[in-house]
Amino acid sequence: AVCSGPQSRCTMEREGGLFFRGLQNRSHEKIKLRKRKSTLYLSPQERTGSRLDLLGENIYLVLFTIALRICNCFLVQTSFVPDEYWQSLEVAHHMVFNNYGYLTWEWTERLRGYTYPLIFASIYKILHLLGKDSVQLLIWIPRLAQALLSAIADLRLYSLMKQLENQQVARWVFFCQLCSWFTWYCCTRTLTNTMETVLTIIALFYYPLEGSKSMNSVKYSSLVALAIIIRPTAVIPWIPLLFRHFWQEQRKLDLILHKFLPVGFVALSLSLIIDRIFFGQWTLVQYNFLKFNVLQNLGSFYGSHPWHWYFSQGFPAVLGTHLPFFIHGCFLTPKRYRIFLVTVLWTLLVYSMLSHKEFRFIYPVLPFCMVFCGYSLNNLKTWKKPALSFLFLSNMLLALYTGLVHQRGTLDVMTNIQELCYNSPNISKASVFMMMPCHSTPYYSHVHYPLPMRFLQCPPDLTGKSDYLVEADIFYLNPLKWLYREFHNDSTLPTHLIIFNVLEEEISPFLISHNYERTAVFFHTHFPEHWTGNHIYVYERKLKGKLEVKMKFW
């Protein structure tokens, strides 16, 4: 083009043309904009990611939950049921330190699998290799590991409710979960029911619920399969959940062939291999377990209750003061949570059909109930603060009493045996006989010393005899007569006897005639029943002069 005007005007026209042509060229390119620093301009997901987090949650919340469960662990110093030790820690101790230990009849009959004890056996083996296998570490490290897993489960329940609802509802559900007295009482114990509950909560995080952003069929089905391997009855609460998933899934064949079947095959193969290694033969323990407890109903040997026990006593006791909030929440929650209520009712009904009933059996449905309790608290208006105070204080008092006072003697007496093993100069001659209802105390996992010990046996009748009596029953029919018959030779007398106080008067002639003296007393419970007293006595045999007795103990 020809520039006929002044030079400055010509220059401006050329620059202006270049400017507009540059804009046209840049319109085809991506223009990078400066990002604003303020969190006001960030999405909720970006806002969360801008904080320090762990397990998808704020790190301070995670650390608080872990710290709380660790405190929980150390504030539970009481015994609950024998399986806490005899189906986990005692088995693990026998697996690692097999030169001494004890396996109950369930393991000789192959009703239990080694998958769960293997977790604790691995911990024991590591401690042994490091030369740190002291008795206190063997007692507390497995419980701390269980506490950590329970903390992760608590956080997963919080994360799930935050996805399904909002942070406010999630906080109330989280509060209910943390202050539940029965959760506090059980969540750090080495029970298969505890691991079943932990795996159920984490699996629920990946379960396909409306509104969930973490759903993953492979992950949740893998966790469910692991729970069933550890405790076959874990399938009971998952039956309605699995059926719902299958019913709503449009690609049903793909779900079964490419997810459920491969996961089930891998889990079952893993269980078979582990049990093959430790049993020495191929064993399907899940079938044996269900056959014994469900099909043959032989679990009733250890006690039976009426069919309504879970509805009239068990469930209300486990929920405690959460019960009114649970009932209130059932009328408030959206329809999508009906599957949780169906799961709770279904589980209670199925367990009600079995004769043998225990509180711990319904522990896995407790987290489902916390969802309804949290909804109830979220919808309270005028009475919220009094309700929160009542819920917290009532559960705290019950948790502290059951964790620190009720049934603590059977653990405290093990401390006395530990002192005998590690501080006594005459340990080579020592032996212990626990004349208590069978499996009242832990065993070698809480002693960790090859001390000769014995307790009253109580395996169930597997032969069908109508007049079958276990050793413990025979003993309690006439304790004094049994003792004189069993120990007719002084050389077989144990150096220490451990009894509940209710037995003392009846066997006092035997104690006096064989020079036994009471050396320790431990409080056990304010609610003694039958042969379980409120105190535990330790008796030691005092030998006169320099008489030496050659101990040939069992």
PDB file of all heavy atoms in Angstrom, residues 146-176:
ATOM      1  N   GLN A 146      -4.693 -53.463  65.137  1.00  0.00           N
ATOM      2  CA  GLN A 146      -6.146 -53.518  64.976  1.00  0.00           C
ATOM      3  C   GLN A 146      -6.765 -52.138  65.187  1.00  0.00           C
ATOM      4  O   GLN A 146      -7.726 -51.771  64.497  1.00  0.00           O
ATOM      5  CB  GLN A 146      -6.732 -54.512  65.973  1.00  0.00           C
ATOM      6  CG  GLN A 146      -8.188 -54.861  65.723  1.00  0.00           C
ATOM      7  CD  GLN A 146      -8.383 -55.684  64.463  1.00  0.00           C
ATOM      8  OE1 GLN A 146      -7.960 -56.824  64.392  1.00  0.00           O
ATOM      9  NE2 GLN A 146      -9.005 -55.086  63.468  1.00  0.00           N
ATOM     10  N   ALA A 147      -6.228 -51.362  66.101  1.00  0.00           N
ATOM     11  CA  ALA A 147      -6.720 -50.003  66.341  1.00  0.00           C
ATOM     12  C   ALA A 147      -6.504 -49.123  65.117  1.00  0.00           C
ATOM     13  O   ALA A 147      -7.368 -48.301  64.766  1.00  0.00           O
ATOM     14  CB  ALA A 147      -6.015 -49.403  67.560  1.00  0.00           C
ATOM     15  N   LEU A 148      -5.362 -49.271  64.458  1.00  0.00           N
ATOM     16  CA  LEU A 148      -5.070 -48.496  63.253  1.00  0.00           C
ATOM     17  C   LEU A 148      -6.054 -48.836  62.136  1.00  0.00           C
ATOM     18  O   LEU A 148      -6.567 -47.943  61.442  1.00  0.00           O
ATOM     19  CB  LEU A 148      -3.632 -48.761  62.797  1.00  0.00           C
ATOM     20  CG  LEU A 148      -3.178 -48.061  61.511  1.00  0.00           C
ATOM     21  CD1 LEU A 148      -3.252 -46.548  61.674  1.00  0.00           C
ATOM     22  CD2 LEU A 148      -1.763 -48.478  61.137  1.00  0.00           C
ATOM     23  N   LEU A 149      -6.349 -50.121  61.963  1.00  0.00           N
ATOM     24  CA  LEU A 149      -7.311 -50.533  60.942  1.00  0.00           C
ATOM     25  C   LEU A 149      -8.704 -49.993  61.254  1.00  0.00           C
ATOM     26  O   LEU A 149      -9.438 -49.572  60.346  1.00  0.00           O
ATOM     27  CB  LEU A 149      -7.350 -52.062  60.846  1.00  0.00           C
ATOM     28  CG  LEU A 149      -6.092 -52.737  60.277  1.00  0.00           C
ATOM     29  CD1 LEU A 149      -6.200 -54.249  60.413  1.00  0.00           C
ATOM     30  CD2 LEU A 149      -5.892 -52.350  58.816  1.00  0.00           C
ATOM     31  N   SER A 150      -9.067 -49.981  62.519  1.00  0.00           N
ATOM     32  CA  SER A 150     -10.373 -49.444  62.910  1.00  0.00           C
ATOM     33  C   SER A 150     -10.450 -47.943  62.659  1.00  0.00           C
ATOM     34  O   SER A 150     -11.509 -47.426  62.273  1.00  0.00           O
ATOM     35  CB  SER A 150     -10.643 -49.742  64.384  1.00  0.00           C
ATOM     36  OG  SER A 150     -10.777 -51.135  64.603  1.00  0.00           O
ATOM     37  N   ALA A 151      -9.351 -47.237  62.865  1.00  0.00           N
ATOM     38  CA  ALA A 151      -9.319 -45.800  62.575  1.00  0.00           C
ATOM     39  C   ALA A 151      -9.523 -45.539  61.091  1.00  0.00           C
ATOM     40  O   ALA A 151     -10.238 -44.607  60.691  1.00  0.00           O
ATOM     41  CB  ALA A 151      -7.988 -45.207  63.047  1.00  0.00           C
ATOM     42  N   ILE A 152      -8.900 -46.355  60.252  1.00  0.00           N
ATOM     43  CA  ILE A 152      -9.082 -46.216  58.798  1.00  0.00           C
ATOM     44  C   ILE A 152     -10.545 -46.454  58.431  1.00  0.00           C
ATOM     45  O   ILE A 152     -11.119 -45.738  57.590  1.00  0.00           O
ATOM     46  CB  ILE A 152      -8.159 -47.199  58.060  1.00  0.00           C
ATOM     47  CG1 ILE A 152      -6.691 -46.807  58.265  1.00  0.00           C
ATOM     48  CG2 ILE A 152      -8.487 -47.241  56.565  1.00  0.00           C
ATOM     49  CD1 ILE A 152      -5.696 -47.826  57.739  1.00  0.00           C
ATOM     50  N   ALA A 153     -11.169 -47.437  59.056  1.00  0.00           N
ATOM     51  CA  ALA A 153     -12.583 -47.719  58.792  1.00  0.00           C
ATOM     52  C   ALA A 153     -13.461 -46.531  59.205  1.00  0.00           C
ATOM     53  O   ALA A 153     -14.400 -46.162  58.488  1.00  0.00           O
ATOM     54  CB  ALA A 153     -13.006 -48.982  59.527  1.00  0.00           C
ATOM     55  N   ASP A 154     -13.163 -45.918  60.365  1.00  0.00           N
ATOM     56  CA  ASP A 154     -13.919 -44.743  60.806  1.00  0.00           C
ATOM     57  C   ASP A 154     -13.842 -43.619  59.766  1.00  0.00           C
ATOM     58  O   ASP A 154     -14.852 -42.976  59.456  1.00  0.00           O
ATOM     59  CB  ASP A 154     -13.366 -44.230  62.140  1.00  0.00           C
ATOM     60  CG  ASP A 154     -13.561 -45.219  63.273  1.00  0.00           C
ATOM     61  OD1 ASP A 154     -14.496 -46.036  63.197  1.00  0.00           O
ATOM     62  OD2 ASP A 154     -12.769 -45.178  64.230  1.00  0.00           O
ATOM     63  N   LEU A 155     -12.649 -43.390  59.257  1.00  0.00           N
ATOM     64  CA  LEU A 155     -12.449 -42.327  58.274  1.00  0.00           C
ATOM     65  C   LEU A 155     -13.162 -42.643  56.962  1.00  0.00           C
ATOM     66  O   LEU A 155     -13.691 -41.739  56.303  1.00  0.00           O
ATOM     67  CB  LEU A 155     -10.952 -42.132  58.024  1.00  0.00           C
ATOM     68  CG  LEU A 155     -10.177 -41.513  59.193  1.00  0.00           C
ATOM     69  CD1 LEU A 155      -8.680 -41.725  59.031  1.00  0.00           C
ATOM     70  CD2 LEU A 155     -10.486 -40.015  59.300  1.00  0.00           C
ATOM     71  N   ARG A 156     -13.197 -43.901  56.575  1.00  0.00           N
ATOM     72  CA  ARG A 156     -13.900 -44.288  55.346  1.00  0.00           C
ATOM     73  C   ARG A 156     -15.409 -44.066  55.486  1.00  0.00           C
ATOM     74  O   ARG A 156     -16.081 -43.670  54.533  1.00  0.00           O
ATOM     75  CB  ARG A 156     -13.604 -45.751  55.009  1.00  0.00           C
ATOM     76  CG  ARG A 156     -12.233 -45.979  54.375  1.00  0.00           C
ATOM     77  CD  ARG A 156     -12.117 -45.184  53.116  1.00  0.00           C
ATOM     78  NE  ARG A 156     -10.873 -45.438  52.394  1.00  0.00           N
ATOM     79  CZ  ARG A 156     -10.162 -44.497  51.786  1.00  0.00           C
ATOM     80  NH1 ARG A 156     -10.569 -43.238  51.846  1.00  0.00           N
ATOM     81  NH2 ARG A 156      -9.076 -44.796  51.118  1.00  0.00           N
ATOM     82  N   LEU A 157     -15.944 -44.322  56.674  1.00  0.00           N
ATOM     83  CA  LEU A 157     -17.369 -44.065  56.905  1.00  0.00           C
ATOM     84  C   LEU A 157     -17.654 -42.569  56.792  1.00  0.00           C
ATOM     85  O   LEU A 157     -18.661 -42.157  56.194  1.00  0.00           O
ATOM     86  CB  LEU A 157     -17.770 -44.584  58.286  1.00  0.00           C
ATOM     87  CG  LEU A 157     -19.249 -44.422  58.666  1.00  0.00           C
ATOM     88  CD1 LEU A 157     -20.138 -45.206  57.709  1.00  0.00           C
ATOM     89  CD2 LEU A 157     -19.493 -44.873  60.101  1.00  0.00           C
ATOM     90  N   TYR A 158     -16.777 -41.747  57.342  1.00  0.00           N
ATOM     91  CA  TYR A 158     -16.923 -40.288  57.243  1.00  0.00           C
ATOM     92  C   TYR A 158     -16.853 -39.832  55.783  1.00  0.00           C
ATOM     93  O   TYR A 158     -17.685 -39.032  55.328  1.00  0.00           O
ATOM     94  CB  TYR A 158     -15.826 -39.616  58.066  1.00  0.00           C
ATOM     95  CG  TYR A 158     -15.757 -38.118  57.902  1.00  0.00           C
ATOM     96  CD1 TYR A 158     -16.683 -37.287  58.535  1.00  0.00           C
ATOM     97  CD2 TYR A 158     -14.766 -37.532  57.122  1.00  0.00           C
ATOM     98  CE1 TYR A 158     -16.616 -35.908  58.385  1.00  0.00           C
ATOM     99  CE2 TYR A 158     -14.688 -36.156  56.958  1.00  0.00           C
ATOM    100  CZ  TYR A 158     -15.619 -35.347  57.588  1.00  0.00           C
ATOM    101  OH  TYR A 158     -15.564 -33.986  57.443  1.00  0.00           O
ATOM    102  N   SER A 159     -15.863 -40.340  55.049  1.00  0.00           N
ATOM    103  CA  SER A 159     -15.700 -39.951  53.643  1.00  0.00           C
ATOM    104  C   SER A 159     -16.914 -40.355  52.812  1.00  0.00           C
ATOM    105  O   SER A 159     -17.362 -39.599  51.934  1.00  0.00           O
ATOM    106  CB  SER A 159     -14.439 -40.605  53.059  1.00  0.00           C
ATOM    107  OG  SER A 159     -13.284 -40.207  53.760  1.00  0.00           O
ATOM    108  N   LEU A 160     -17.449 -41.544  53.076  1.00  0.00           N
ATOM    109  CA  LEU A 160     -18.615 -42.018  52.329  1.00  0.00           C
ATOM    110  C   LEU A 160     -19.812 -41.103  52.563  1.00  0.00           C
ATOM    111  O   LEU A 160     -20.498 -40.710  51.612  1.00  0.00           O
ATOM    112  CB  LEU A 160     -18.952 -43.441  52.763  1.00  0.00           C
ATOM    113  CG  LEU A 160     -20.229 -44.039  52.152  1.00  0.00           C
ATOM    114  CD1 LEU A 160     -20.084 -44.182  50.643  1.00  0.00           C
ATOM    115  CD2 LEU A 160     -20.563 -45.376  52.794  1.00  0.00           C
ATOM    116  N   MET A 161     -20.076 -40.749  53.816  1.00  0.00           N
ATOM    117  CA  MET A 161     -21.230 -39.896  54.104  1.00  0.00           C
ATOM    118  C   MET A 161     -21.043 -38.492  53.558  1.00  0.00           C
ATOM    119  O   MET A 161     -22.021 -37.826  53.194  1.00  0.00           O
ATOM    120  CB  MET A 161     -21.468 -39.849  55.618  1.00  0.00           C
ATOM    121  CG  MET A 161     -21.924 -41.166  56.219  1.00  0.00           C
ATOM    122  SD  MET A 161     -23.303 -41.916  55.308  1.00  0.00           S
ATOM    123  CE  MET A 161     -24.561 -40.647  55.462  1.00  0.00           C
ATOM    124  N   LYS A 162     -19.815 -38.042  53.467  1.00  0.00           N
ATOM    125  CA  LYS A 162     -19.555 -36.724  52.878  1.00  0.00           C
ATOM    126  C   LYS A 162     -19.868 -36.737  51.386  1.00  0.00           C
ATOM    127  O   LYS A 162     -20.356 -35.744  50.831  1.00  0.00           O
ATOM    128  CB  LYS A 162     -18.092 -36.335  53.120  1.00  0.00           C
ATOM    129  CG  LYS A 162     -17.834 -34.853  52.963  1.00  0.00           C
ATOM    130  CD  LYS A 162     -16.510 -34.436  53.559  1.00  0.00           C
ATOM    131  CE  LYS A 162     -15.338 -35.091  52.853  1.00  0.00           C
ATOM    132  NZ  LYS A 162     -14.049 -34.534  53.279  1.00  0.00           N
ATOM    133  N   GLN A 163     -19.620 -37.873  50.729  1.00  0.00           N
ATOM    134  CA  GLN A 163     -19.965 -38.006  49.315  1.00  0.00           C
ATOM    135  C   GLN A 163     -21.474 -38.123  49.111  1.00  0.00           C
ATOM    136  O   GLN A 163     -22.040 -37.512  48.211  1.00  0.00           O
ATOM    137  CB  GLN A 163     -19.289 -39.249  48.725  1.00  0.00           C
ATOM    138  CG  GLN A 163     -17.783 -39.160  48.611  1.00  0.00           C
ATOM    139  CD  GLN A 163     -17.181 -40.448  48.085  1.00  0.00           C
ATOM    140  OE1 GLN A 163     -17.871 -41.273  47.529  1.00  0.00           O
ATOM    141  NE2 GLN A 163     -15.883 -40.610  48.275  1.00  0.00           N
ATOM    142  N   LEU A 164     -22.112 -38.932  49.951  1.00  0.00           N
ATOM    143  CA  LEU A 164     -23.540 -39.201  49.781  1.00  0.00           C
ATOM    144  C   LEU A 164     -24.402 -38.018  50.198  1.00  0.00           C
ATOM    145  O   LEU A 164     -25.465 -37.787  49.621  1.00  0.00           O
ATOM    146  CB  LEU A 164     -23.944 -40.432  50.598  1.00  0.00           C
ATOM    147  CG  LEU A 164     -23.276 -41.753  50.223  1.00  0.00           C
ATOM    148  CD1 LEU A 164     -23.749 -42.853  51.156  1.00  0.00           C
ATOM    149  CD2 LEU A 164     -23.569 -42.134  48.778  1.00  0.00           C
ATOM    150  N   GLU A 165     -23.963 -37.273  51.213  1.00  0.00           N
ATOM    151  CA  GLU A 165     -24.764 -36.157  51.715  1.00  0.00           C
ATOM    152  C   GLU A 165     -23.951 -34.868  51.669  1.00  0.00           C
ATOM    153  O   GLU A 165     -23.805 -34.282  50.624  1.00  0.00           O
ATOM    154  CB  GLU A 165     -25.222 -36.470  53.153  1.00  0.00           C
ATOM    155  CG  GLU A 165     -26.159 -37.657  53.254  1.00  0.00           C
ATOM    156  CD  GLU A 165     -27.474 -37.431  52.527  1.00  0.00           C
ATOM    157  OE1 GLU A 165     -27.899 -36.256  52.400  1.00  0.00           O
ATOM    158  OE2 GLU A 165     -28.079 -38.416  52.082  1.00  0.00           O
ATOM    159  N   ASN A 166     -23.459 -34.445  52.806  1.00  0.00           N
ATOM    160  CA  ASN A 166     -22.624 -33.249  52.903  1.00  0.00           C
ATOM    161  C   ASN A 166     -21.758 -33.366  54.148  1.00  0.00           C
ATOM    162  O   ASN A 166     -21.889 -34.320  54.921  1.00  0.00           O
ATOM    163  CB  ASN A 166     -23.480 -31.979  52.946  1.00  0.00           C
ATOM    164  CG  ASN A 166     -24.542 -32.055  54.036  1.00  0.00           C
ATOM    165  OD1 ASN A 166     -24.234 -32.224  55.211  1.00  0.00           O
ATOM    166  ND2 ASN A 166     -25.815 -31.951  53.642  1.00  0.00           N
ATOM    167  N   GLN A 167     -20.894 -32.415  54.325  1.00  0.00           N
ATOM    168  CA  GLN A 167     -19.948 -32.500  55.437  1.00  0.00           C
ATOM    169  C   GLN A 167     -20.641 -32.443  56.795  1.00  0.00           C
ATOM    170  O   GLN A 167     -20.200 -33.084  57.750  1.00  0.00           O
ATOM    171  CB  GLN A 167     -18.923 -31.373  55.333  1.00  0.00           C
ATOM    172  CG  GLN A 167     -17.698 -31.575  56.213  1.00  0.00           C
ATOM    173  CD  GLN A 167     -16.613 -30.588  55.901  1.00  0.00           C
ATOM    174  OE1 GLN A 167     -16.881 -29.441  55.587  1.00  0.00           O
ATOM    175  NE2 GLN A 167     -15.361 -31.011  55.992  1.00  0.00           N
ATOM    176  N   GLN A 168     -21.746 -31.708  56.874  1.00  0.00           N
ATOM    177  CA  GLN A 168     -22.438 -31.588  58.148  1.00  0.00           C
ATOM    178  C   GLN A 168     -23.028 -32.923  58.600  1.00  0.00           C
ATOM    179  O   GLN A 168     -22.842 -33.340  59.747  1.00  0.00           O
ATOM    180  CB  GLN A 168     -23.555 -30.548  58.036  1.00  0.00           C
ATOM    181  CG  GLN A 168     -24.263 -30.277  59.356  1.00  0.00           C
ATOM    182  CD  GLN A 168     -25.281 -29.166  59.244  1.00  0.00           C
ATOM    183  OE1 GLN A 168     -25.281 -28.413  58.282  1.00  0.00           O
ATOM    184  NE2 GLN A 168     -26.161 -29.068  60.232  1.00  0.00           N
ATOM    185  N   VAL A 169     -23.724 -33.621  57.699  1.00  0.00           N
ATOM    186  CA  VAL A 169     -24.268 -34.936  58.032  1.00  0.00           C
ATOM    187  C   VAL A 169     -23.137 -35.912  58.334  1.00  0.00           C
ATOM    188  O   VAL A 169     -23.217 -36.710  59.284  1.00  0.00           O
ATOM    189  CB  VAL A 169     -25.146 -35.471  56.883  1.00  0.00           C
ATOM    190  CG1 VAL A 169     -25.601 -36.905  57.176  1.00  0.00           C
ATOM    191  CG2 VAL A 169     -26.352 -34.574  56.664  1.00  0.00           C
ATOM    192  N   ALA A 170     -22.061 -35.837  57.545  1.00  0.00           N
ATOM    193  CA  ALA A 170     -20.922 -36.731  57.746  1.00  0.00           C
ATOM    194  C   ALA A 170     -20.318 -36.554  59.139  1.00  0.00           C
ATOM    195  O   ALA A 170     -19.918 -37.531  59.780  1.00  0.00           O
ATOM    196  CB  ALA A 170     -19.860 -36.477  56.682  1.00  0.00           C
ATOM    197  N   ARG A 171     -20.272 -35.325  59.599  1.00  0.00           N
ATOM    198  CA  ARG A 171     -19.705 -35.071  60.938  1.00  0.00           C
ATOM    199  C   ARG A 171     -20.541 -35.714  62.032  1.00  0.00           C
ATOM    200  O   ARG A 171     -19.999 -36.244  63.004  1.00  0.00           O
ATOM    201  CB  ARG A 171     -19.599 -33.558  61.171  1.00  0.00           C
ATOM    202  CG  ARG A 171     -18.442 -32.906  60.433  1.00  0.00           C
ATOM    203  CD  ARG A 171     -18.502 -31.403  60.557  1.00  0.00           C
ATOM    204  NE  ARG A 171     -17.362 -30.766  59.905  1.00  0.00           N
ATOM    205  CZ  ARG A 171     -17.257 -29.461  59.707  1.00  0.00           C
ATOM    206  NH1 ARG A 171     -18.230 -28.650  60.098  1.00  0.00           N
ATOM    207  NH2 ARG A 171     -16.190 -28.958  59.116  1.00  0.00           N
ATOM    208  N   TRP A 172     -21.872 -35.655  61.888  1.00  0.00           N
ATOM    209  CA  TRP A 172     -22.733 -36.254  62.909  1.00  0.00           C
ATOM    210  C   TRP A 172     -22.635 -37.774  62.906  1.00  0.00           C
ATOM    211  O   TRP A 172     -22.638 -38.406  63.966  1.00  0.00           O
ATOM    212  CB  TRP A 172     -24.176 -35.803  62.725  1.00  0.00           C
ATOM    213  CG  TRP A 172     -24.391 -34.343  62.991  1.00  0.00           C
ATOM    214  CD1 TRP A 172     -24.934 -33.417  62.154  1.00  0.00           C
ATOM    215  CD2 TRP A 172     -24.043 -33.637  64.191  1.00  0.00           C
ATOM    216  NE1 TRP A 172     -24.952 -32.185  62.739  1.00  0.00           N
ATOM    217  CE2 TRP A 172     -24.411 -32.289  64.006  1.00  0.00           C
ATOM    218  CE3 TRP A 172     -23.462 -34.015  65.400  1.00  0.00           C
ATOM    219  CZ2 TRP A 172     -24.218 -31.316  64.984  1.00  0.00           C
ATOM    220  CZ3 TRP A 172     -23.261 -33.048  66.376  1.00  0.00           C
ATOM    221  CH2 TRP A 172     -23.637 -31.721  66.163  1.00  0.00           C
ATOM    222  N   VAL A 173     -22.559 -38.358  61.727  1.00  0.00           N
ATOM    223  CA  VAL A 173     -22.375 -39.816  61.633  1.00  0.00           C
ATOM    224  C   VAL A 173     -21.028 -40.202  62.243  1.00  0.00           C
ATOM    225  O   VAL A 173     -20.923 -41.189  62.986  1.00  0.00           O
ATOM    226  CB  VAL A 173     -22.468 -40.286  60.170  1.00  0.00           C
ATOM    227  CG1 VAL A 173     -22.121 -41.768  60.058  1.00  0.00           C
ATOM    228  CG2 VAL A 173     -23.862 -40.027  59.604  1.00  0.00           C
ATOM    229  N   PHE A 174     -20.010 -39.423  61.943  1.00  0.00           N
ATOM    230  CA  PHE A 174     -18.667 -39.661  62.484  1.00  0.00           C
ATOM    231  C   PHE A 174     -18.671 -39.553  64.005  1.00  0.00           C
ATOM    232  O   PHE A 174     -18.063 -40.370  64.708  1.00  0.00           O
ATOM    233  CB  PHE A 174     -17.714 -38.634  61.868  1.00  0.00           C
ATOM    234  CG  PHE A 174     -16.251 -38.892  62.122  1.00  0.00           C
ATOM    235  CD1 PHE A 174     -15.664 -40.078  61.707  1.00  0.00           C
ATOM    236  CD2 PHE A 174     -15.459 -37.954  62.762  1.00  0.00           C
ATOM    237  CE1 PHE A 174     -14.304 -40.318  61.927  1.00  0.00           C
ATOM    238  CE2 PHE A 174     -14.113 -38.182  62.981  1.00  0.00           C
ATOM    239  CZ  PHE A 174     -13.543 -39.367  62.561  1.00  0.00           C
ATOM    240  N   PHE A 175     -19.367 -38.552  64.528  1.00  0.00           N
ATOM    241  CA  PHE A 175     -19.485 -38.374  65.984  1.00  0.00           C
ATOM    242  C   PHE A 175     -20.147 -39.586  66.624  1.00  0.00           C
ATOM    243  O   PHE A 175     -19.676 -40.104  67.645  1.00  0.00           O
ATOM    244  CB  PHE A 175     -20.288 -37.108  66.280  1.00  0.00           C
ATOM    245  CG  PHE A 175     -20.669 -36.954  67.721  1.00  0.00           C
ATOM    246  CD1 PHE A 175     -19.755 -36.490  68.650  1.00  0.00           C
ATOM    247  CD2 PHE A 175     -21.950 -37.279  68.153  1.00  0.00           C
ATOM    248  CE1 PHE A 175     -20.102 -36.344  69.988  1.00  0.00           C
ATOM    249  CE2 PHE A 175     -22.314 -37.139  69.482  1.00  0.00           C
ATOM    250  CZ  PHE A 175     -21.387 -36.675  70.397  1.00  0.00           C
ATOM    251  N   CYS A 176     -21.232 -40.046  66.021  1.00  0.00           N
ATOM    252  CA  CYS A 176     -21.939 -41.224  66.564  1.00  0.00           C
ATOM    253  C   CYS A 176     -21.048 -42.461  66.541  1.00  0.00           C
ATOM    254  O   CYS A 176     -21.054 -43.262  67.486  1.00  0.00           O
ATOM    255  CB  CYS A 176     -23.217 -41.482  65.753  1.00  0.00           C
ATOM    256  SG  CYS A 176     -24.495 -40.236  65.978  1.00  0.00           S
TER     257      CYS A 176
END
